[in-house]
Amino acid sequence: MLRLISVNFCRVGTSIGFWACAAITFFICFTAPVSVESRQTSMTIFSILLYLPREELLIDTNLCAEQMLHAYRNGYFTLFCSMLVLFPFVNAFTVQREVGFPRYMLLRTGRVSYALGEIISLILCGCSAIGIGILCYSFFVWFEFPHLSAYSAEQVMSFMHAGSLPVQWLCFLCYCICSTSFGILLLSFCKNRYLILTIPFFAQHLLRQLSQGLLSTGFVNNNTALINFANLLSPEATWDLPYSSGSQIFWICLLHFGFICAASAVFCMVGNRRLDVGDF
């Protein structure tokens, strides 16, 4: 299984789709809106780089490099993550299924080992591509925006830290892993790469809209149980783990990681029941 994962990663890591995913992630990060105090409005990071002089950046600590390292999650990244995380691997997976490549691999590995290797390869390739894009974005904003040391002591004292960067990266990893669940479920019975990419995007968007609707209803009716359920159902729940209580962390992990385990189990069971192993 380890050899299968390494072969898949080397094949996908040298493909155009892998680096295209990293480049798309890099540019999507700049679409995040940031509140600009001097303009009394919100501007995207891209607009801030184009139109705001450095002197104006030094007015508000919300525009410092330390804050920008976390700002990307407020934009379109969380919306398209479920599509981006599948983008590098789906093309290679569907092509090898079309040519019957699993027939040769299953001679060396069992069906369960092959299925788990494919799932781990998908997660590893998707998270690596997105991670490279965000890492490039982080380096860019770190050198382009002023650091906290450039602000006055009064401004630094009023600065609200967004949290530890390693913790945020760990939560980002959990979010990306959980974003693959719909894709893994579709890979078990669908061969159309375009459906595999788009259906998880719409499914996660609908889930996000449902959780936001339940959250609004809970606040209007002052229903704490409904608010907690809406927060639990939200796709961003795994990214907000550091701000959750102990019991919420348990239920979030149980629901979201349980769903990806269930999707992986379906992928393995459907593959095991195929008469033609070339379609695994």
Side-chain angles (χ1 to χ4, degrees):
M1 186 173 72
L2 292 177
R3 181 168 178 79
L4 173 64
I5 294 170
S6 64
V7 168
N8 282 338
F9 186 76
C10 291
R11 185 174 73 252
V12 175
T14 54
S15 66
I16 297 175
F18 182 89
W19 296 104
C21 176
I24 293 169
T25 303
F26 173 75
F27 288 110
I28 282 181
C29 288
F30 289 93
T31 63
V34 178
S35 177
V36 181
E37 186 178 341
S38 60
R39 301 289 179 96
Q40 297 294 316
T41 186
S42 293
M43 299 174 65
T44 63
I45 300 173
F46 185 71
S47 299
I48 291 171
L49 288 168
L50 284 180
Y51 302 117
L52 294 189
R54 191 171 183 83
E55 295 75 19
E56 196 167 346
L57 297 180
L58 293 170
I59 297 175
D60 185 9
T61 53
N62 203 37
L63 302 177
C64 68
E66 287 81 356
Q67 185 68 19
M68 290 298 172
L69 290 175
H70 305 276
Y72 66 89
R73 66 160 292 185
N74 298 321
Y76 289 110
F77 172 75
T78 52
L79 180 63
F80 289 101
C81 183
S82 59
M83 184 184 292
L84 289 171
V85 76
L86 299 172
F87 189 78
F89 188 76
V90 162
N91 185 61
F93 182 84
T94 52
V95 168
Q96 73 181 21
R97 181 181 276 179
E98 288 170 2
V99 299
F101 180 73
R103 291 191 185 93
Y104 305 101
M105 291 303 301
L106 288 170
L107 293 174
R108 301 181 179 182
T109 62
R111 293 196 177 199
V112 175
S113 296
Y114 177 79
L116 291 177
E118 293 294 292
I119 292 169
I120 295 171
S121 299
L122 183 149
I123 294 172
L124 183 63
C125 294
C127 292
S128 298
I130 293 176
I132 289 172
I134 293 180
L135 192 63
C136 292
Y137 161 82
S138 301
F139 277 118
F140 186 89
V141 298
W142 184 257
F143 290 107
E144 283 296 320
F145 287 89
H147 294 180
L148 275 177
S149 57
Y151 294 85
S152 64
E154 292 79 8
Q155 289 176 308
V156 174
M157 288 180 64
S158 62
F159 175 69
M160 297 292 292
H161 286 275
S164 171
L165 195 59
V167 173
Q168 290 293 326
W169 270 80
L170 183 61
C171 294
F172 147 76
L173 181 62
C174 292
Y175 179 75
C176 287
I177 291 173
C178 293
S179 297
T180 63
S181 53
F182 288 109
I184 293 171
L185 194 62
L186 279 172
L187 283 171
S188 61
F189 55 84
C190 183
K191 295 183 179 181
N192 190 312
R193 68 197 69 177
Y194 303 108
L195 291 178
I196 295 171
L197 286 174
T198 53
I199 290 178
F201 166 75
F202 288 113
Q204 195 170 40
H205 181 64
L206 288 174
L207 188 62
R208 184 179 291 106
Q209 294 299 315
L210 176 62
S211 65
Q212 289 176 356
L214 292 175
L215 191 63
S216 300
T217 305
F219 279 119
V220 170
N221 298 327
N222 198 21
N223 189 332
T224 306
L226 187 59
I227 292 172
N228 291 335
F229 178 72
N231 289 327
L232 178 65
L233 195 63
S234 172
E236 284 79 26
T238 50
W239 211 326
D240 295 327
L241 282 176
Y243 314 107
S244 305
S245 62
S247 60
Q248 285 179 323
I249 291 174
F250 171 77
W251 288 110
I252 289 170
C253 292
L254 182 64
L255 177 65
H256 291 271
F257 287 100
F259 184 58
I260 193 172
C261 290
S264 301
V266 170
F267 181 82
C268 294
M269 287 189 294
V270 171
N272 281 329
R273 294 177 66 86
R274 291 188 188 278
L275 297 177
D276 184 0
V277 294
D279 289 334
F280 196 100

